[in-house]
Amino acid sequence: MWIKNLWKFLRAISGDDAYEVYLNNFSKCTNHLNSNPLSRKDFYSQKLQQKWNKINRCC
Amino acid sequence: MTNFIKTKLIWIILSTLGAFAFSTIALSRDESINAMWFITAAVCIYLVAYRFYGAWIAAKVLVLDEFKETPAVTNNNNRDFVPTNKWVLFGIHFAAIAGPGPLVGPTLAAQFGYLPGTIWILVGAVLGGAVQDMTILFFSVRRNGKTLGQMAKEELGQLAGKASLIATFVIMIILISVLGLVVVNAMKHSPWATSTVAATIPIAIFIGFYMRFLRPGRVLEATGIGVVLLLFAVYIGGEIDKSESLRVYFDHGGLFLAWSIIIYGFAAAVLPVWMLLAPRDYLSTFVKLGTIIFLAIAIAILQPDIKMPAVTNFVDGSGPIFGGSVFPFVFITIACGAISGFHALISSGTTPKLIDNEKHIPMIGYGGMLLESFVAIMAMVAACVLEPGVFFAINSPVGIVGSDPSIVIQTINSWGFPVTQDQMEQLAKDVGETTLFARTGGAPSLAVGMASIFADAFGKNLLAMWYHFAIMFEAVFILTTLDAGTRVGRFMLQDILGNFHPKLGRTSWLPSTILTSAIVVACWGYFLYIGVIDPNGGVNILWPLFGIANQMLAAIALSVGTAILIRTGKVKFAWITGLPLTWLAIITSTAAFQKVFSEDTRVGFLAAAKFMTEKVNSGMLTDEKISIMNQLIFNLRFDAVITVLLTIVLWLVIIDVLKILFKNKYKFLGVRN
């Protein structure tokens, strides 16, 4: 059981599950009823752009 | 009721144990002391500080409200504002704040002995760094995730806003150059290290393509493959080192390596992030966390003895690694690990947008810093388990001890640290290097320390592998900081240039990207180049400069915190940030004054410049030497100007804080009456 939790934690912390989280949030969010979610590839590249457009690594 | 007593009892035991361990470290004058005392003291002090001081600030001073919605909840846009699980966010925040700083600083500061650095790491983190990180995080959460620059502008005025921007840019440039220098010194004439570090570039690019096209977004799977490839690269590096025909391709002097890093840095800033920067960051984060956990386990299993004396004679300022006495320079040398202004940039703007509930703030802000401080303690242990003679032989630059091994040994022995030439040769052979003399910058001695701990704990015959693994580990995330820093520098520059020419401000416009990247790379490339041609190793100039700049940014962040506390009617609590602010103002001003005006040529920029000018005028030097000297003289004066400018900026900000205090003095008096 703890191995499963550790794996879940690792996936969350590394952003491995980010797309699934995004899809999950997307389906719950009514604002998006008229549009389709991004593909996995587009989501990933958009996420990287956001992540590296600010200071997020330090000394 | 029994539970209540039990909890009390546990905290009493923890406090006593911490106090006992700490006094053992502080008072021990034995030949050696066990490293477990360091770990015990640190862990107990962190727990007690977190439970009592951190929690007190959260409850009484900041008054966290768990029912107040955070910006992540109110603005949740599934992009930058996202409520995040607190453990996940702790990991993200820690990965962002912990870089190579807490590893390099303590290693260099070990020249004063283990005690001054250890005390500063523990006290500085608990009363300064962690408080800064937590208060800035809280204030930014309450201000919709505003950045430090924006908060400084709003709370202290235009000047403070600009000051924080300038200080950030200066730190970035100096940090990147000194880190570049650390990597260059680790790779100099070491085919094994050079080939391994070089191999990390194609590996990162491969992982980048894998995550972008083959299996988009499969971070863990791709990183797993990458880590295996990195370990393989360490092994292959050893084979290359053994091969006479291959090793020549990777056997280079400092200048060649410096130029390679400059070109690499430019490429990394211009290439799309998915190709090099992002995959390298995934790899470095995993290797970093893995190695730190591994090191903690190894220290716990092995329980090595600390061989460095508690305090060395070099506290008077005559140390070989960098000039300057223990006050103020131990507080400047160890910035990250005790208090680091850079953290305020992560704690504002980035992390606040992910906080799910205000009650998570102590753990992420205060706790995150304590963990980084613990990394610094482990670096201190790794440096101090080495025989002091070996430590100084590795870290003393040619300009101080000369380049002839027998003279180096003689000099170090004359300081009272026994070491023999055979010992150094055998050690170099064991770790797969031709020599370990004058490998300044901290990375090689940290790698030798880590390798000896790993080798003793997990297998002695692999010392060379462990050493080069440690070098790879340091290089891989130093280069990540270098890539990311260059990119951030570029954005800052584009932001500034956009005021003059809107098109230059567009981050997606290629000519602007190339121009601004080139300017940023040229800035740090200049300091890197000077550091490489400097016979004193360059680190002795650049690291204190970085420390001063970083502590000044911390002072600006604490000024913002103090101003907000005063403004919001909490004058009587303003000391929680005001006290560390005062201390930082004292140490940075003293250090800056000494760096500029000291008569000691190893401390004062101007004195060193004068000394060199006399040497050049004496006519005893060759043309080549004169040209190097002239560049060094210019650089020393330039460094003096930067230091003076930073000090002026800091004091202008502090005057702003004092003005606010003065305006609110009636409130203050009212509270006291």
Side-chain angles (χ1 to χ4, degrees):
Chain A
M1 193 58 206
W2 67 270
I3 289 187
K4 215 172 164 185
N5 280 338
L6 183 72
W7 177 243
K8 225 173 121 188
F9 177 68
L10 264 178
R11 289 201 67 201
I13 205 172
S14 60
D16 199 59
D17 67 354
Y19 186 63
E20 285 136 66
V21 172
Y22 164 79
L23 278 188
N24 191 18
N25 287 350
F26 194 92
S27 64
K28 282 181 188 160
C29 200
T30 45
N31 300 350
H32 295 300
L33 276 181
N34 301 327
S35 61
N36 290 319
L38 294 170
S39 72
R40 185 180 258 280
K41 203 168 146 185
D42 292 340
F43 171 77
Y44 176 66
S45 64
Q46 202 191 64
K47 193 166 155 273
L48 280 190
Q49 281 305 330
Q50 274 159 12
K51 184 175 171 188
W52 293 103
N53 270 349
K54 55 183 190 267
I55 296 178
N56 70 348
R57 283 296 173 267
C58 174
C59 42
Chain B
M1 193 63 197
T2 44
N3 259 345
F4 176 75
I5 294 173
K6 231 191 239 166
T7 339
K8 282 239 154 155
L9 205 65
I10 289 176
W11 286 110
I12 290 172
I13 292 172
L14 272 176
S15 315
T16 323
L17 186 62
F20 181 69
F22 190 74
S23 44
T24 308
I25 298 173
L27 302 174
S28 163
R29 291 294 176 270
D30 295 339
E31 285 282 286
S32 63
I33 168 175
N34 197 289
M36 280 315 281
W37 289 115
F38 287 70
I39 307 292
T40 312
V43 171
C44 292
I45 289 174
Y46 295 150
L47 287 174
V48 172
Y50 179 77
R51 170 62 187 80
F52 294 98
Y53 192 48
W56 176 78
I57 293 176
K60 297 287 176 192
V61 182
L62 305 177
V63 195
L64 304 184
D65 181 357
E66 63 175 303
F67 299 107
K68 196 175 167 68
E69 287 190 334
T70 58
V73 177
T74 46
N75 302 347
N76 185 353
N77 60 5
N78 215 0
R79 288 211 308 265
D80 47 347
F81 287 93
V82 186
T84 308
N85 173 285
K86 70 169 174 178
W87 289 102
V88 172
L89 184 55
F90 181 84
I92 293 174
H93 180 76
F94 178 70
I97 61 170
L103 296 177
V104 178
T107 309
L108 302 179
Q111 79 163 350
F112 295 127
Y114 65 73
L115 192 56
T118 304
I119 294 179
W120 171 234
I121 292 169
L122 294 176
V123 176
V126 162
L127 297 181
V131 175
Q132 171 203 263
D133 290 14
M134 177 164 73
T135 47
I136 293 295
L137 179 58
F138 171 76
F139 290 139
S140 180
V141 165
R142 282 287 171 98
R143 282 161 186 72
N144 209 16
K146 283 202 174 118
T147 62
L148 180 70
Q150 290 166 328
M151 289 199 288
K153 195 172 144 192
E154 280 171 19
E155 303 297 333
L156 292 165
Q158 285 285 348
L159 178 100
K162 295 236 161 63
S164 70
L165 273 184
I166 294 168
T168 309
F169 191 75
V170 172
I171 296 171
M172 199 84 82
I173 296 298
I174 296 171
L175 172 72
I176 296 172
S177 51
V178 72
L179 291 179
L181 192 56
V182 168
V183 178
V184 165
N185 285 344
M187 297 196 296
K188 217 184 324 183
H189 293 298
S190 166
W192 192 338
T194 310
S195 60
T196 308
V197 174
T200 62
I201 300 169
I203 291 174
I205 293 178
F206 167 71
I207 299 302
F209 272 91
Y210 186 93
M211 273 194 280
R212 168 87 174 191
F213 297 110
L214 291 177
R215 303 263 293 157
R218 311 279 180 187
V219 176
L220 279 181
E221 168 187 314
T223 311
I225 298 172
V227 170
V228 172
L229 289 176
L230 283 181
L231 295 177
F232 191 60
V234 176
Y235 170 76
I236 291 291
E239 298 300 311
I240 288 175
D241 189 44
K242 280 181 207 143
S243 151
E244 285 302 323
S245 57
L246 284 176
R247 75 194 304 274
V248 288
Y249 293 108
F250 296 99
D251 188 354
H252 298 291
L255 267 186
F256 178 89
L257 293 168
W259 279 109
S260 312
I261 287 191
I262 290 170
I263 293 166
Y264 164 79
F266 179 73
V270 177
L271 287 176
V273 279
W274 62 264
M275 203 188 275
L276 186 53
L277 178 54
R280 177 186 273 291
D281 178 67
Y282 282 123
L283 291 176
S284 86
T285 308
F286 270 77
V287 173
K288 174 167 74 188
L289 294 179
T291 309
I292 287 169
I293 294 170
F294 215 43
L295 186 61
I297 295 173
I299 290 176
I301 295 178
L302 189 68
Q303 309 191 351
D305 275 341
I306 300 288
K307 305 206 179 80
M308 183 69 77
V311 178
T312 65
N313 293 332
F314 300 134
V315 287
D316 65 358
S318 59
I321 301 176
F322 56 89
S325 51
V326 66
F327 176 86
F329 286 101
V330 75
F331 308 102
I332 296 295
T333 309
I334 302 179
C336 320
I339 178 164
S340 162
F342 228 127
H343 292 185
L345 303 175
I346 309 282
S347 297
S348 63
T350 307
T351 305
K353 294 179 181 167
L354 303 173
I355 292 257
D356 185 22
N357 189 315
E358 282 190 5
K359 68 179 176 187
H360 301 161
I361 286 176
M363 177 177 138
I364 289 157
Y366 202 91
M369 178 64 211
L370 293 183
L371 190 57
E372 166 148 2
S373 173
F374 188 61
V375 173
I377 288 287
M378 285 201 291
M380 182 60 95
V381 168
C384 294
V385 295
L386 293 177
E387 291 287 346
V390 173
F391 173 82
F392 284 108
I394 298 174
N395 282 304
S396 301
V398 176
I400 304 290
V401 292
S403 50
D404 182 354
S406 61
I407 296 176
V408 177
I409 293 292
Q410 241 173 41
T411 316
I412 291 169
N413 288 342
S414 75
W415 293 334
F417 301 116
V419 59
T420 63
Q421 209 169 326
D422 290 343
Q423 197 184 348
M424 287 304 291
E425 272 166 17
Q426 185 59 41
L427 185 63
K429 216 176 128 202
D430 285 348
V431 300
E433 291 286 309
T434 42
T435 175
L436 284 173
F437 284 117
R439 291 215 167 256
T440 56
S445 79
L446 178 65
V448 172
M450 275 170 60
S452 62
I453 292 174
F454 284 150
D456 283 347
F458 305 113
K460 264 202 159 80
N461 45 355
L462 291 171
L463 195 66
M465 282 291 171
W466 287 120
Y467 173 82
H468 285 95
F469 171 78
I471 291 282
M472 182 275 287
F473 147 78
E474 291 172 83
V476 87
F477 72 96
I478 282 181
L479 290 179
T480 307
T481 307
L482 189 139
D483 297 359
T486 306
R487 222 179 139 76
V488 168
R490 178 192 122 197
F491 287 139
M492 293 175 77
L493 204 57
Q494 282 179 317
D495 202 33
I496 296 166
L497 291 180
N499 293 327
F500 303 104
H501 192 310
K503 229 178 165 181
L504 285 174
R506 246 191 278 151
T507 49
S508 54
W509 192 47
L510 191 63
S512 160
T513 301
I514 291 179
L515 175 75
T516 47
S517 301
I519 294 174
V520 173
V521 172
C523 287
W524 61 255
Y526 162 76
F527 286 108
L528 174 58
Y529 168 78
I530 294 288
V532 169
I533 62 169
D534 186 345
N536 286 337
V539 173
N540 59 335
I541 289 184
L542 280 173
W543 192 264
L545 204 56
F546 160 67
I548 290 174
N550 198 0
Q551 302 295 44
M552 282 189 176
L553 187 60
I556 293 174
L558 289 167
S559 297
V560 172
T562 312
I564 295 178
L565 286 175
I566 296 171
R567 281 243 169 96
T568 49
K570 291 172 182 165
V571 183
K572 64 171 176 176
F573 294 128
W575 58 268
I576 62 153
T577 48
L579 211 64
L581 168 61
T582 312
W583 178 244
L584 287 186
I586 293 170
I587 55 160
T588 48
S589 305
T590 316
F593 183 82
Q594 291 188 4
K595 284 312 286 182
V596 177
F597 298 111
S598 169
E599 303 263 308
D600 183 349
T601 53
R602 297 203 43 235
V603 180
F605 291 135
L606 296 180
K610 197 174 144 206
F611 175 72
M612 284 189 191
T613 316
E614 279 163 10
K615 250 187 164 175
V616 168
N617 292 340
S618 70
M620 309 260 285
L621 301 171
T622 60
D623 283 352
E624 193 195 0
K625 276 236 165 108
I626 289 180
S627 119
I628 290 181
M629 282 281 192
N630 281 332
Q631 294 179 50
L632 292 177
I633 292 167
F634 170 77
N635 180 56
L636 285 164
R637 293 189 175 137
F638 185 51
D639 291 345
V641 172
I642 294 178
T643 312
V644 169
L645 279 180
L646 283 173
T647 317
I648 293 173
V649 165
L650 172 69
W651 279 98
L652 289 175
V653 173
I654 291 178
I655 289 171
D656 276 338
V657 179
L658 291 176
K659 271 190 204 154
I660 293 173
L661 182 66
F662 192 69
K663 265 189 212 153
N664 289 273
K665 70 178 173 180
Y666 299 109
K667 274 190 209 164
F668 183 53
L669 293 172
V671 170
R672 291 190 64 173
N673 289 341

